[in-house]
Amino acid sequence: MTETYEIAVFEGDGIGPEITTPTIALLKQLAAASTGYDLRFVTLPAGAGHYARTGESLPAESLRVAAAANAILLSAMGLPDVRYPDGTEISPQIELRMAFDLFAGIRPVSVRQGQAGPLTLPEGREIDFVLVRESTEGLFYSMGTGVVSETEARETLRITREISEKLFRFSFDLARSRRQAGRGPGRVTCVDKANVFRAFAFFRGIFDEIAAEYPDLAADHAYVDATALWMVQKPWDFDVLVTENMFGDILSDLGAGLMGGLGLAPSADIGLKQAVFQPCHGSAPDIAGQGVANPHAMILSAAMMLDWLGLKHDNAALRTDGVRLREAVEAVIASGDCLTRDLGGTAGTDAAAGAVQRVLRTARAA
């Protein structure tokens, strides 16, 4: 009997619905052709537009249904002109991280041979590393509760042993699985600022304790400022990088820049029970409704979702289709024949997604 997995879908704001529609179509195409799984989608309300209409950014019922789903696919959220009374942006994606304890933020960075980008790669070099960003504490811990007076403002950075141990074990497990798949040497780098802050010395100390549990893998350290430099100078040297929330927030955008922009940057926020998959980019309301948004970050996030579901449920068909979907996007980007405006081309949203669909069909026919 084919197992059916329920996917909670948040279509988002701005260009969110435009990139969600073709992504769901691709997922349905893959599921329809598979005998190993099926997918059922339930669309839920949330976001800045919903807040503007109802005063709720993430309804309790949406949260309940999402909690019961097998995975959450979340599109671009937020609108610059719609904010909470304190001036902060509407961010249901952060609320979901906190509600479901999604401590591991996954930001893959990949540049293949033939893919255009801001860096000229040495002959034979490719970029393929993963940034693991702690997603529930760090400098984001005091979100919405910072103290502000007429003369100063304070936010609290929090790092706990409980979350850090789970984060580091996740990172080492990821490095091991990447090595088994031939995608990395099996090395985890702890990125911190332990030379200045006691909190990061604490963070590094826990990392070293967990590293001792993985003697078959390599472990090293790097300060965050040096890491930013090396991400430009020698990004092909990295495998898995693990870091605090705010550092990860900044470095993940640098990683997107290496790929050519946020339009190619997928992400996942993963906990022990639930996971959210969404593009790193914003809702781009200035181009909403024009049909020109790049759907690839959303499609790549969906590919990550299939892979995670396959791992979690020991379903090889899901993992295989996750790889197929990712490689189809990479093939379209590397060919350069159907690029969206942000990548220097002229293709619209539907044309870009259609190119991925054709690669999938051609590969299956072969």
Side-chain angles (χ1 to χ4, degrees), residues 11-349:
E11 294 184 324
D13 301 302
I15 62 171
E18 298 173 53
I19 60 175
T20 301
T21 298
T23 300
I24 298 298
L26 286 167
L27 290 172
K28 288 181 176 179
Q29 172 189 327
L30 288 168
S34 177
T35 58
Y37 70 93
D38 198 4
L39 300 174
R40 185 170 75 87
F41 301 91
V42 55
T43 300
L44 304 172
H50 188 75
Y51 177 83
R53 294 188 299 271
T54 68
E56 284 188 302
S57 60
L58 181 59
E61 180 62 11
S62 294
L63 193 63
R64 185 194 67 78
V65 175
N70 293 110
I72 301 167
L73 187 61
L74 187 149
S75 196
M77 287 277 188
L79 294 170
D81 297 332
V82 181
R83 295 175 179 263
Y84 292 118
D86 65 359
T88 57
E89 292 189 15
I90 310 299
S91 303
Q93 60 270 37
I94 298 180
E95 295 176 57
L96 288 168
R97 291 174 200 164
M98 303 302 181
F100 299 141
D101 193 23
L102 307 180
F103 58 87
I106 312 303
R107 309 294 188 267
V109 179
S110 175
V111 180
R112 300 303 185 188
Q113 284 291 321
Q115 180 178 331
L119 295 184
T120 300
L121 301 183
E123 185 68 27
R125 294 286 194 181
E126 292 187 335
I127 301 173
D128 184 5
F129 67 87
V130 179
L131 181 71
V132 181
R133 165 193 176 186
E134 196 289 313
S135 294
T136 61
E137 47 185 33
L139 196 55
F140 279 67
Y141 168 72
S142 62
M143 184 188 73
T145 62
V147 178
V148 181
S149 71
E150 292 183 359
T151 57
E152 67 176 36
R154 296 187 182 188
E155 302 282 358
T156 300
L157 181 149
R158 183 184 191 226
I159 291 175
T160 66
R161 172 172 289 277
E162 178 188 6
I163 295 297
S164 297
E165 287 181 350
K166 291 191 291 186
L167 177 76
F168 295 141
R169 288 194 178 97
F170 181 95
S171 300
F172 280 101
D173 288 341
L174 176 62
R176 182 178 284 160
S177 68
R178 281 172 51 83
R179 185 178 63 184
Q180 291 170 347
R183 299 191 66 186
R187 185 177 68 253
V188 182
T189 302
C190 180
V191 179
D192 56 45
K193 197 64 177 171
N195 58 329
V196 177
F197 297 101
R198 293 180 66 187
F200 287 111
F202 177 69
F203 188 72
R204 178 179 288 202
I206 300 171
F207 173 83
D208 289 342
E209 292 175 18
I210 302 304
E213 300 176 6
Y214 295 83
D216 59 313
L217 301 176
D220 57 13
H221 315 105
Y223 296 135
V224 64
D225 43 349
T227 300
L229 173 67
W230 295 334
M231 282 179 66
V232 175
Q233 289 185 332
K234 50 180 184 178
W236 46 84
D237 282 353
F238 293 125
D239 185 8
V240 174
L241 306 176
V242 59
T243 191
E244 176 269 343
N245 208 336
M246 179 60 80
F247 290 166
D249 189 24
I250 296 167
L251 292 178
S252 61
D253 274 20
L254 176 54
L258 297 178
M259 293 188 286
L262 288 169
L264 297 178
S267 77
D269 289 296
I270 298 174
L272 297 180
K273 297 181 180 179
Q274 187 54 283
V276 172
F277 301 85
Q278 69 170 131
C280 288
H281 60 70
S283 62
D286 56 317
I287 62 169
Q290 299 178 29
V292 298
N294 185 344
H296 291 318
M298 186 68 176
I299 297 171
L300 288 168
S301 298
M304 292 176 68
M305 180 186 73
L306 294 180
D307 185 64
W308 177 78
L309 282 169
L311 277 171
K312 185 176 178 63
H313 297 280
D314 193 24
N315 187 313
L318 280 164
R319 296 204 69 190
T320 296
D321 278 353
V323 172
R324 291 181 60 230
L325 187 55
R326 171 178 59 80
E327 290 181 344
V329 173
E330 291 175 347
V332 169
I333 300 303
S335 73
D337 294 333
C338 194
L339 301 179
T340 49
R341 292 192 322 189
D342 59 310
L343 300 178
T346 59
T349 306

